[in-house]
């Protein structure tokens, strides 16, 4: 069941042509979950949102968002080693790029992107500070589900971080433009969670954490704050019930590991871990 904690609505698609060039970034900006991002300093809308921030097995500083935020056949579904796709903090484009897109899964004709692989990997610039604390959500690592069903993207054997939440008892807590929401995982189709936890247009890529049983849920008494392991990113709003969809962290991590194993030199984001920086 959904509990409304601020206000409401949707999350869909941002279309974008890859641009080049960017200003140098200054030092000290904190990058965190639920930060709104744009792909040109002159365009503040449409926009997307960061779902998690951390590092990969190669030491790259990484942010994760939704793949369907971009559309460019020349760059989709491959590693982007050149700095041709800058990413900006929507609230502070004068800072310059906070990072550069290194991978995104092409929407493949769907408004909500590839069903199980709708994600984007951003390499953050050295001048920013990684943070696990967003406006409402503190991310305490990556969700592991020992004994859970493996993501359809997972190599065998699947890691615990590549296993999915069961429906019925598990809750997601999500953060976006309208504040913070939580709701039960009511459907799981190939690692796409459906919940009544609400999202709005532009929240695509934004954070979802697992509500650790017994931990405090967001409320007016605690300033609408919550903490938990990263469980996924905002994907879409649909005509089904409940309407709000989230791509599981398991699907993203599993696909990263599979692509890493198949790519000489590896891929950005493989072995992703959420930062422990406050």
């Amino acid at each position: 069941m959904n509990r409304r904690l601020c206000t409401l609505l949707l999350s869909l698609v941002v279309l974008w042509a890859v641009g080049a060039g960017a200003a140098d970034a200054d030092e000290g900006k904190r990058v965190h979950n639920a930060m709104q991002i744009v792909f040109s300093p002159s365009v503040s809308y449409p926009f997307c949102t960061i779902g998690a921030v951390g590092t990969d097995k190669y030491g790259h500083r990484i942010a994760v968002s939704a793949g369907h935020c971009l559309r460019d056949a020349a760059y989709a579904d491959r590693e982007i080693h050149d700095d041709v796709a800058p990413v900006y903090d929507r609230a502070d484009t004068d800072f310059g790029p906070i990072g550069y897109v290194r991978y995104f899964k092409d929407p493949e004709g769907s408004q909500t992107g590839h069903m199980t692989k709708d994600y984007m990997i951003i390499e953050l610039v050295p001048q920013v500070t990684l943070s696990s604390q967003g406006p409402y959500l503190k991310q305490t690592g990556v969700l592991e589900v020992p004994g859970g069903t493996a993501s359809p993207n997972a190599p065998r054997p699947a890691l615990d971080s590549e296993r999915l939440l069961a429906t019925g008892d598990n809750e997601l807590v999500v953060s976006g433009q309208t504040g913070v929401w939580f709701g039960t995982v009511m459907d799981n189709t190939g690692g796409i969670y459906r919940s009544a936890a609400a999202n709005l247009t532009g929240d695509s890529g934004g954070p979802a954490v697992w509500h650790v049983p017994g931990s405090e849920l967001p409320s007016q008494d605690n300033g609408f704050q919550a903490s938990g392991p990263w469980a996924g990113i905002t994907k879409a709003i649909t005509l089904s019930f409940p309407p709000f969809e989230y791509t599981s962290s398991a699907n993203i991590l599993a696909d990263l590991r599979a692509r890493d194993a198949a790519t000489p030199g590896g891929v950005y984001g493989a072995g992703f871990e959420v930062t422990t920086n406050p």
Side-chain angles (χ1 to χ4, degrees):
M1 183 176 179
N2 166 296
R3 287 92 162 187
R4 176 175 181 169
L5 297 178
C6 290
T7 355
L8 155 68
L9 214 73
L10 132 81
S11 152
L12 283 179
V13 63
V14 179
L15 304 184
W16 171 75
V18 175
D24 291 333
D26 299 325
E27 223 168 357
K29 174 179 286 293
R30 192 172 66 91
V31 177
H32 52 79
N33 72 74
M35 174 181 279
Q36 295 174 1
I37 54 175
V38 293
F39 306 97
S40 167
S42 61
V43 179
S44 64
Y45 188 90
F47 59 91
C48 278
T49 304
I50 289 177
V53 175
T55 55
D56 66 13
K57 63 188 279 189
Y58 300 109
H60 301 127
R61 296 145 56 85
I62 297 295
V64 182
S65 189
H68 70 253
C69 293
L70 304 182
R71 181 172 292 168
D72 191 305
Y75 291 98
D77 205 18
R78 69 172 180 83
E79 293 295 288
I80 306 171
H81 296 284
D82 299 323
D83 295 345
V84 295
V87 178
Y88 300 83
D89 175 2
R90 183 176 181 242
D92 183 19
T93 57
D94 287 345
F95 178 83
I98 61 169
Y100 295 89
V101 177
R102 298 303 183 204
Y103 175 86
F104 68 97
K105 184 66 178 176
D106 190 88
E108 298 179 346
S110 167
Q111 285 190 320
T112 54
H114 189 284
M115 183 61 179
T116 69
K117 301 176 182 179
D118 181 12
Y119 70 93
M120 175 192 301
I121 298 297
I122 301 162
E123 183 184 21
L124 299 170
V125 299
Q127 295 89 347
V128 303
T129 299
L130 310 187
S131 176
S132 59
Q133 178 67 63
Y136 297 104
L137 301 183
K138 170 78 171 180
Q139 293 179 333
T140 59
V142 169
L143 177 65
E144 296 186 350
V145 187
T149 301
S151 162
N153 301 335
R156 296 185 179 181
L159 305 179
D160 287 346
S161 60
E162 299 167 354
R163 296 183 180 276
L164 304 169
L165 291 171
T167 59
D169 295 325
N170 290 294
E171 287 184 301
L172 297 179
V173 187
V174 307
S175 173
Q177 299 164 75
T178 60
V180 61
W181 298 73
F182 56 94
T184 302
V185 177
M186 298 176 69
D187 185 72
N188 171 10
T189 303
I192 304 301
Y193 301 138
R194 192 180 296 278
S195 171
N199 55 67
L200 186 68
T201 301
D203 289 340
S204 289
V209 302
W210 179 57
H211 172 233
V212 178
S215 67
E216 196 172 16
L217 284 163
S219 69
Q220 188 170 3
D221 291 341
N222 62 20
F224 301 106
Q225 298 295 302
S227 63
W230 176 54
I233 61 174
T234 299
K235 180 175 177 61
I237 187 170
T238 69
L239 296 178
S240 301
F241 182 83
F244 305 105
E245 288 189 341
Y246 297 86
T247 298
S248 63
S249 56
N251 277 11
I252 297 169
L253 296 173
D255 191 58
L256 284 167
R257 186 161 72 97
R259 291 198 300 111
D260 187 59
T263 304
V267 302
Y268 288 93
F272 176 80
E273 292 287 346
V274 170
T275 182
T276 58
N277 293 339

